[in-house]
Amino acid sequence: MSSLDPSGTFTLGDRKVKRLGYGAMQLSGPGVFGPPKDHDAALAVLREAVESGVDHIDTSDFYGPHVTNTLIREALHPYSEDLVIVTKVGARRGADKSWIPAFSREELTSAIHDNLRNLGLDVIDVVNLRLMFSVHGPAEGSLEAPLTVLADLQRQGLIRHIGLSNATATQIAEGRGIAKIVCVQNQYNLAHRDDDALIGDLARDGIAYVPFFPLGGFSPLQSSTLSDVATRLDATPMQVALAWLLRRSPNILLIPGTSSVGHLRENLAAAELVLPDAAVRELDQVGSITA
Ligand SMILES: NC(=O)c1ccc[n+]([C@@H]2O[C@H](COP(=O)([O-])OP(=O)(O)OC[C@H]3O[C@@H](n4cnc5c(N)ncnc54)[C@H](OP(=O)(O)O)[C@@H]3O)[C@@H](O)[C@H]2O)c1
């Protein structure tokens, strides 16, 4: 990814970041639990990302737990001034690797302090409140109590900006009445298009949309259309999936996850991939076929 990144930038909070960033969840062990298989390889991925120009890393202290943040600190601290680190709170991990909602004032406050300590920061650039009314996808329920806690921590100077994750349009509207929301992180990719309308609404208000599972997450994207387009463009299916997201809306910021330097390089090269209009029209149909 060159410094003249053709995919451009978008403002996240008060910082312009490149549209292709990196998601660090894959760096902890299997089931996003425990240490990575290869500690040095995990550090190498993080260093390669930043050396390649990545200025936006997505993480959470519940990856590991604490493992991913500790790796980020070991690999990259002291951080370069243009690096924006985004974390998320709202869950804790059970010993059985489960994801347990953690929204009390005490839990949220200690999660912010854990993130600060493990990342080695005095203030966190962006914190997403990860809603857990359903662990599988957005589900309605008021976010007033937990978001008020994050707004209090923001006033105390521990958080610069607040975002929402796994949120419905109703919850985003409620949240915007409580705090300034700078980004929304929901599941979205070529085959999972529930947020098609929401993305446009957020773009109109200058709010970044950061799709998680951009490559399909734990079930990698598979589509004959995707493979055919990739072959025609001499690219890989994952590069085409990322290029389609970059083309989809200017407020989309990407955080593809990988534990491999090879995949990282491949993914970052998607910033240079220009999709012809005919290919975009074909790819647009994938979600309506498989959704
Ligand atoms: N807010 C939330 O609830 C939430 C939920 C999930 C994730 N996230 C965030 O979103 C980020 C991205 O999500 P994700 O990492 O789960 O899913 P993803 O980016 O959709 O896909 C990651 C998977 O794709 C593989 N992969 C990556 N690049 C590849 C390539 N070029 N070719 C083939 N396979 C490739 C990875 O395996 P290898 O390691 O082998 O490359 C990994 O298994 C996470 O890192 C995390 O920061 C947020």
Side-chain angles (χ1 to χ4, degrees):
M1 189 165 58
S2 68
S3 53
L4 295 171
D5 184 351
S7 65
T9 59
F10 191 79
T11 301
L12 180 56
D14 55 1
R15 313 268 293 276
K16 267 196 188 355
V17 294
K18 291 179 186 155
R19 294 186 60 217
L20 240 166
Y22 171 68
M25 185 178 89
Q26 303 293 339
L27 294 182
S28 40
V32 198
F33 206 84
K37 249 194 330 243
D38 185 338
H39 181 88
D40 290 346
L43 298 182
V45 170
L46 286 161
R47 289 181 180 137
E48 173 89 16
V50 168
E51 280 159 18
S52 306
V54 164
D55 57 11
H56 168 205
I57 293 181
D58 187 81
T59 185
S60 174
D61 215 43
F62 51 65
Y63 298 157
H66 314 300
V67 170
T68 300
N69 280 354
T70 311
L71 288 167
I72 291 173
R73 180 182 183 151
E74 184 180 351
L76 303 176
H77 196 278
Y79 304 112
S80 85
E81 274 190 13
D82 64 358
L83 179 64
V84 175
I85 298 180
V86 179
T87 192
K88 60 189 81 68
V89 295
R92 62 186 172 82
R93 304 301 296 279
D96 58 353
K97 305 188 182 181
S98 54
W99 304 79
I100 302 165
F103 287 97
S104 70
R105 179 170 285 274
E106 294 69 29
E107 286 169 313
L108 291 169
T109 304
S110 78
I112 293 301
H113 285 286
D114 286 350
N115 274 281
L116 287 167
R117 186 179 57 257
N118 290 324
L119 287 167
L121 292 168
D122 298 324
V123 51
I124 306 171
D125 289 319
V126 184
V127 176
N128 283 315
L129 181 66
R130 206 293 184 183
L131 300 175
M132 297 279 286
F133 291 102
S134 161
V135 76
H136 301 297
E140 296 300 350
S142 174
L143 46 67
E144 182 180 355
L147 192 57
T148 301
V149 176
L150 286 197
D152 288 347
L153 294 167
Q154 185 179 38
R155 274 188 290 276
Q156 289 169 30
L158 302 180
I159 298 172
R160 275 203 190 92
H161 300 285
I162 296 175
L164 295 174
S165 178
N166 204 33
T168 67
T170 304
Q171 288 163 332
I172 294 165
E174 185 193 8
R176 293 179 71 186
I178 298 168
K180 183 176 177 197
I181 301 300
V182 302
C183 56
V184 170
Q185 186 176 117
N186 281 0
Q187 182 177 358
Y188 184 84
N189 58 44
L190 197 58
H192 187 101
R193 305 269 298 274
D194 292 356
D195 278 351
D196 268 338
L198 177 65
I199 291 170
D201 292 344
L202 296 175
R204 274 187 289 282
D205 291 342
I207 297 175
Y209 183 86
V210 188
F212 73 77
F213 295 163
L215 301 175
F218 297 108
S219 317
L221 289 171
Q222 280 186 317
S223 136
S224 54
T225 306
L226 184 59
S227 302
D228 291 349
V229 170
T231 303
R232 287 207 304 272
L233 298 178
D234 199 17
T236 68
M238 295 309 178
Q239 289 175 323
V240 172
L242 294 173
W244 178 83
L245 283 167
L246 289 172
R247 173 78 178 257
R248 173 67 188 74
S249 182
N251 63 327
I252 289 187
L253 293 175
L254 296 184
I255 49 164
T258 181
S259 55
S260 129
V261 167
H263 284 167
L264 175 76
R265 289 186 185 140
E266 181 184 323
N267 297 344
L268 294 179
E272 322 256 347
L273 179 63
V274 179
L275 297 179
D277 290 345
V280 173
R281 282 194 295 274
E282 276 178 72
L283 293 164
D284 282 346
Q285 298 307 310
V286 172
S288 51
I289 294 164
T290 58

